[in-house]
Amino acid sequence: MGITSSLEHIVVINATIPETDRRYDIDALRVIAFGLLILYHCGMFYVAEWDWHVKSAYTSEWLQEPMLFVNQWRMSLLFVISGLAMSFVVGRYNMRALALGRLGRLGLPLIFGMAVIVAPQPYYEALDKGIIQPGFWRFWGQYLTFTDFPGEAWSGENTIVWTWNHLWYLPYVLLYTLVSLPLLYWLERSGRAVRARAQRLRGIWLILLPVLPLLIYGNVVFPHFPYINHALLDDFYAHAMYGTLFLYGYLFGRDMALWQHLLALRFHVLAVAIIAYTALRTQQWWVPEDAGFMLEQLSFFNVYVNRWSWILVILAFGYRYLNQPKPWVRYATSAIFAWYILHQTITVTIGYELSRLSLGPIVEPLLVLGATVFGCAMLYEFVIRRNRILRLFFGVPSH
């Protein structure tokens, strides 16, 4: 078996689930979650008062509200879905094969993405800030040699070095997968009673008990690490929260009784989610930051109940309406990972270039969004999908 065939086998190990056992709703929700991420990053180019790599002159305050709403749970949902997906492959392969599969599926796209795909983003950000002179190829040559660029670079750093920017999800979910594999295999074999106890949660406890560890992190970890910095090594609050949500996804996994119960509760959970978000925004509008310990605890509680309840809402309604084979889901499941890797570079590049043309607050956003979607679609369909090597570097399964 050649090197290319071996790498393809590693990627397929991670991606393949027999059709008889496939949960089409999880595939569809993964596509929707990444699609929402693409829209969110296009919005970051236009939302007022929020810092980003580059910004349009046509920023808007009204975008803050919908983006605040999805920002509470959008990445958490992806980690839950990642844990759900793991529950369907743990036990089908030995631990070594599964670890190699995840390294191939996530590690190769990460390295390739940092070296090639992400590189235009720091270039345009540095260019926008006047740190460097125009000339991407010269910049890229220095970037590939890890050469530091002087000046105030992106996100408050003092130098420009290799970055994963929007690809930060990949090292995080890879870390959680590799670290948790011994625990997951123990839960599959010797720890079934522990898993069964978690899967017996019903009613209001399905919301409240998973929130408790998150509330502890808010009190113990968050005060010392109050920012999610996507730097991996010292992002302890993010690891505590996202790693736990990844585990929740695994525990939900294959238990059909729990899914049926969640389906029956979907409108009740939706009511809880709406109340939680209303309470959260009301508190942010009217309650001062130094309001005291009890109100601080209420704030944490609102944050985590809101986050977890919206995730449950999305899982429940997805299970109700999306758990059936659809042609778009099959195609999009293979394509969406490549779209995720490509999209932000296209948005930053097209956004920067179009922002210099003064096209107006309607034409420019439509062109930026359209170019992002069109660019991802064309590059996937006519370049990545048809090239064996590129399929490996973009994590696209071979069938």
Side-chain angles (χ1 to χ4, degrees), residues 303-337:
V303 166
Y304 300 123
V305 169
N306 174 74
R307 183 167 300 158
W308 179 239
S309 58
W310 281 110
I311 290 172
L312 292 179
V313 166
I314 293 166
L315 295 179
F317 280 90
Y319 182 59
R320 171 65 179 84
Y321 294 106
L322 299 175
N323 193 22
Q324 50 189 302
K326 298 178 184 294
W328 72 267
V329 173
R330 178 184 291 272
Y331 180 85
T333 297
S334 296
I336 196 61
F337 197 64

Side-chain angles (χ1 to χ4, degrees), residues 29-30 32-42 44 50 52 66-82 166 168-169 228 230 241-242 245 306-308 310-311 314 340 343-344:
L29 288 177
R30 178 174 173 270
I32 292 169
F34 275 122
L36 183 62
L37 184 64
I38 293 171
L39 287 174
Y40 184 88
H41 287 153
C42 286
M44 284 298 296
W50 293 16
W52 204 51
M67 293 183 70
L68 279 169
F69 169 66
V70 300
N71 201 32
Q72 292 292 315
W73 47 261
R74 60 183 181 88
M75 291 308 302
S76 297
L77 174 65
L78 269 175
F79 284 104
V80 170
I81 291 173
S82 298
H166 70 291
W168 68 267
Y169 162 78
I228 295 178
H230 304 157
M241 182 174 62
Y242 292 141
L245 291 166
N306 174 74
R307 183 167 300 158
W308 179 239
W310 281 110
I311 290 172
I314 293 166
Y340 158 69
H343 79 276
Q344 186 163 292

Side-chain angles (χ1 to χ4, degrees), residues 18 22-23 91 114 117 141 144 164 237 264 280 292 319 330 335 337 339 353:
R22 198 159 195 100
R23 283 283 301 277
M114 292 173 66
I117 304 301
L144 289 176
W164 45 53
Y237 174 66
L280 179 64
Y319 182 59
R330 178 184 291 272
F337 197 64
W339 280 48
E353 296 295 346

Side-chain angles (χ1 to χ4, degrees), residues 3-129:
I3 293 176
T4 301
S5 298
S6 300
L7 290 174
E8 284 180 342
H9 180 64
I10 288 173
V11 172
V12 169
I13 282 178
N14 180 71
T16 301
I17 299 173
E19 289 298 316
T20 54
D21 297 333
R22 198 159 195 100
R23 283 283 301 277
Y24 299 100
D25 56 317
I26 296 173
D27 288 340
L29 288 177
R30 178 174 173 270
V31 171
I32 292 169
F34 275 122
L36 183 62
L37 184 64
I38 293 171
L39 287 174
Y40 184 88
H41 287 153
C42 286
M44 284 298 296
F45 188 56
Y46 292 100
V47 64
E49 300 177 6
W50 293 16
D51 188 34
W52 204 51
H53 308 286
V54 294
K55 300 290 288 189
S56 171
Y58 306 113
T59 58
S60 176
E61 291 187 2
W62 73 264
L63 277 173
Q64 292 180 8
E65 193 60 39
M67 293 183 70
L68 279 169
F69 169 66
V70 300
N71 201 32
Q72 292 292 315
W73 47 261
R74 60 183 181 88
M75 291 308 302
S76 297
L77 174 65
L78 269 175
F79 284 104
V80 170
I81 291 173
S82 298
L84 284 168
M86 280 297 295
S87 72
F88 287 92
V89 295
V90 170
R92 296 188 184 278
Y93 307 98
N94 62 49
M95 192 183 307
R96 179 179 177 273
L98 189 52
L100 289 174
R102 295 301 276 179
L103 283 169
R105 169 74 161 164
L106 301 173
L108 287 176
L110 176 62
I111 295 171
F112 178 77
M114 292 173 66
V116 179
I117 304 301
V118 171
Q121 296 181 42
Y123 167 73
Y124 279 106
E125 184 167 355
L127 193 62
D128 187 56
K129 293 177 178 177

